[in-house]
Amino acid sequence: EKAGKELEIARNEEAEDLKERKEKNRSRKEKCSNSLTETKTKLNELAKLAYSSLAEAKKAQKAVELEAEEIFDNIEIAQKNFDSAKNKLTAIVAEIETMNKNLSSAEKEAKQLRINYEAALKTNGFENEDLFHEYDVGEDEIEDNQEIINDYQTQVKVNAESLEIAKKDAAGKELIDVEALEEKVETIKEKEEEIREFLSDTKSRLSINKELYENIREQKDDYEDNKRLYAIYSRLYDLASGNVSGNSRITLEQYVQMAGFDGIIAAANRRLLPMTDRQFELIRHDNSNEKKSKTTLDLDVLDNFTGKRRPVGSLSGGESFKASLSLALGLSDTVSMNAGGIQMDALFIDEGFGSLDSKSNSSVIEVLNNLSGKNNKLVGLISHREEIINSIPNQIKVTKDRSGSHIEIDTGF
């Protein structure tokens, strides 16, 4: 029982260790898978770019920069021509307005003088100018009128000269549509802004792509190493868990259990054969066609008298007791051999003899006596059968009466 508990503890510890290793491998596998997915996503994002390489993108960027520089130069030249034409137009318009004002003023003044003159004629009783000229005119008035006339003629001459100069300056020049020119300038500015935005976006994408390229290049070696490790660990995991194609694969746990159980069966048969007059022999169930089932530790029994094998569950009660006792003794022998010198010095059997006949009892008692004598083991039998009691020299007898149970030790002397 102690060996059974220790075996169970060892199995649990081994199972926990395998589970922990399996979890670590699964975690690393998942991490490698996530890293692979992330890298593939980044590669797919790079594949969607308009340029197949960094050199092509830089070439396109250089062409756009040259085109933008040429457009900026054209804009600057057009702006200068526009400003110059605008200044000249402003000066000409101002000069023409000045001359028009002077001419209009002179015309108004002459008209007013004419009106005043005619009014004065009528006021003074002259029906027309001819009648007025028939009369003498004073020198002062003549001088005043002469001065007016002179000033008027001078102003007319000046205005005429200014008009000729303006006509000469305007000769061969077209009237500029300032609004259309301003609209053209706005269109060029909008195009310039679009080019600037495209250039900025291209630079930003270049920077992002460069960072992505550097990150991918830095992670390439780690990716290759992880890929190789993943292949190794995945193969080991599949082998250990039996996840490979074909029906000839089993898990590592099943293999270890089968190997250990084969040793126990071999040790048990060394006990079972003498007990059954070499009729029965335990054999592990042959499940070569169902390796992934849970029958790797099932037992069959070989009947050496008939040469046939059958499930161990088909044994009779007495035969089952012999098989169970043989397995217990085989387990004891196997633990003693494989546990670094640990000895199982005591064995207790509770009942079980009631299902045996006299011959079987004798053979079982003989095996137990040999175990007790040759191997120096303490074998305790709990039984109420007389033939068993009579065959045991050292006994602890338990009797019960009204006052309770009593123990009597009988050494046979």
Side-chain angles (χ1 to χ4, degrees):
E1 291 176 354
K2 180 179 179 182
K5 292 180 180 179
E6 292 178 350
L7 178 61
E8 186 65 25
I9 292 173
R11 286 178 177 174
N12 291 336
E13 290 178 351
E14 184 178 13
E16 288 295 327
D17 182 57
L18 287 174
K19 183 178 180 182
E20 183 179 354
R21 289 166 58 192
K22 178 179 178 182
E23 183 63 24
K24 288 182 179 178
N25 288 335
R26 187 196 64 75
S27 177
R28 292 194 65 182
K29 176 182 177 182
E30 183 177 355
K31 183 178 180 182
C32 291
S33 179
N34 292 337
S35 177
L36 177 62
T37 301
E38 182 179 353
T39 305
K40 286 183 178 179
T41 302
K42 292 181 180 179
L43 288 175
N44 291 333
E45 290 297 326
L46 289 177
K48 296 178 182 178
L49 296 178
Y51 309 105
S52 60
S53 65
L54 180 62
E56 185 179 349
K58 287 185 176 180
K59 184 178 179 181
Q61 178 189 1
K62 185 66 177 178
V64 172
E65 289 177 350
L66 292 175
E67 184 180 356
E69 185 177 353
E70 183 178 356
I71 292 173
F72 294 154
D73 293 340
N74 292 334
I75 291 174
E76 185 176 357
I77 293 172
Q79 187 66 41
K80 289 181 179 179
N81 292 335
F82 171 77
D83 293 340
S84 177
K86 187 175 182 181
N87 292 333
K88 289 181 180 180
L89 178 62
T90 302
I92 292 171
V93 170
E95 188 174 359
I96 291 174
E97 288 180 354
T98 301
M99 288 187 295
N100 288 333
K101 288 180 180 180
N102 294 333
L103 179 60
S104 177
S105 177
E107 288 177 350
K108 288 180 179 180
E109 185 176 358
K111 187 177 180 180
Q112 186 64 41
L113 290 173
R114 186 67 183 176
I115 292 172
N116 295 335
Y117 174 66
E118 291 177 352
L121 289 177
K122 291 180 179 181
T123 302
N124 292 289
F126 298 101
E127 295 179 357
N128 52 47
E129 188 177 356
D130 294 336
L131 294 175
F132 172 73
H133 286 300
E134 292 179 358
Y135 295 92
D136 292 331
V137 179
E139 292 294 335
D140 294 336
E141 186 177 356
I142 293 173
E143 290 180 358
D144 292 338
N145 290 332
Q146 189 63 44
E147 288 180 1
I148 294 173
I149 292 171
N150 291 337
D151 291 339
Y152 172 76
Q153 290 177 350
T154 301
Q155 190 66 39
V156 170
K157 185 178 180 180
V158 171
N159 291 338
E161 291 177 355
S162 298
L163 182 60
E164 290 297 329
I165 294 172
K167 288 181 179 180
K168 290 180 180 181
D169 291 338
K173 296 181 180 180
E174 296 180 358
L175 183 63
I176 298 175
D177 190 350
V178 179
E179 293 182 356
L181 189 60
E182 288 178 349
E183 290 179 358
K184 186 176 181 180
V185 171
E186 288 296 327
T187 303
I188 294 175
K189 286 183 178 180
E190 290 177 359
K191 187 176 181 181
E192 175 192 359
E193 186 64 27
E194 291 178 358
I195 294 174
R196 289 182 183 275
E197 291 179 357
F198 176 77
L199 183 61
S200 175
D201 183 59
T202 303
K203 289 181 178 179
S204 176
R205 291 172 62 186
L206 272 175
S207 177
I208 294 173
N209 294 341
K210 187 175 180 181
E211 291 180 1
L212 292 174
Y213 172 76
E214 293 296 332
N215 290 334
I216 293 173
R217 189 174 65 178
E218 291 175 359
Q219 297 177 8
K220 181 180 179 182
D221 294 337
D222 292 339
Y223 167 73
E224 294 295 336
D225 294 339
N226 290 331
K227 185 177 180 181
R228 287 192 293 270
L229 289 175
Y230 171 76
I232 294 172
Y233 293 152
S234 179
R235 178 63 178 169
L236 289 175
Y237 173 78
D238 290 339
L239 288 175
S241 58
N243 295 330
V244 291
S245 59
N247 294 327
S248 60
R249 301 295 183 183
I250 60 175
T251 64
L252 179 62
E253 180 181 359
Q254 289 175 325
Y255 173 78
V256 172
Q257 290 175 344
M258 290 165 56
F261 195 39
D262 286 343
I264 294 173
I265 293 173
N269 285 329
R270 288 196 294 270
R271 311 292 185 182
L272 181 61
L273 287 171
M275 292 184 190
T276 60
D277 293 332
R278 309 194 69 81
Q279 178 182 2
F280 296 118
E281 185 176 355
L282 296 175
I283 300 175
R284 185 165 52 81
H285 179 67
D286 183 11
N287 54 355
S288 58
N289 295 325
E290 47 180 348
K291 291 294 184 181
K292 293 186 178 180
S293 66
K294 298 181 180 180
T295 62
T296 54
L297 300 181
D298 286 353
L299 277 175
D300 288 342
V301 60
L302 174 62
D303 191 336
N304 291 321
F305 291 176
T306 63
K308 295 182 179 180
R309 58 191 299 171
R310 50 195 172 93
V312 73
S314 64
L315 293 174
S316 64
E319 293 168 347
S320 297
F321 173 73
K322 293 177 183 180
S324 299
L325 179 60
S326 298
L327 283 173
L329 296 176
L331 178 61
S332 173
D333 294 341
T334 303
V335 171
S336 298
M337 288 187 297
N338 297 332
I342 296 177
Q343 297 294 327
M344 298 180 67
D345 297 328
L347 176 66
F348 290 90
I349 302 174
D350 186 5
E351 293 297 345
F353 294 94
S355 58
L356 300 178
D357 55 22
S358 299
K359 185 178 179 181
S360 296
N361 277 331
S362 298
S363 61
V364 171
I365 293 299
E366 183 180 356
V367 171
L368 295 177
N369 285 332
N370 291 333
L371 182 65
S372 176
K374 294 180 179 180
N375 298 328
N376 196 25
K377 290 184 180 291
L378 175 62
V379 179
L381 303 181
I382 303 173
S383 179
H384 63 281
R385 295 188 61 178
E386 289 296 332
E387 60 269 28
I388 299 298
I389 295 173
N390 294 332
S391 63
I392 299 174
N394 299 319
Q395 301 179 6
I396 300 176
K397 296 181 179 180
V398 179
T399 58
K400 183 172 64 173
D401 54 21
R402 291 184 178 181
S403 61
S405 298
H406 305 279
I407 295 176
E408 179 185 352
I409 298 176
D410 185 0
T411 59
F413 296 100

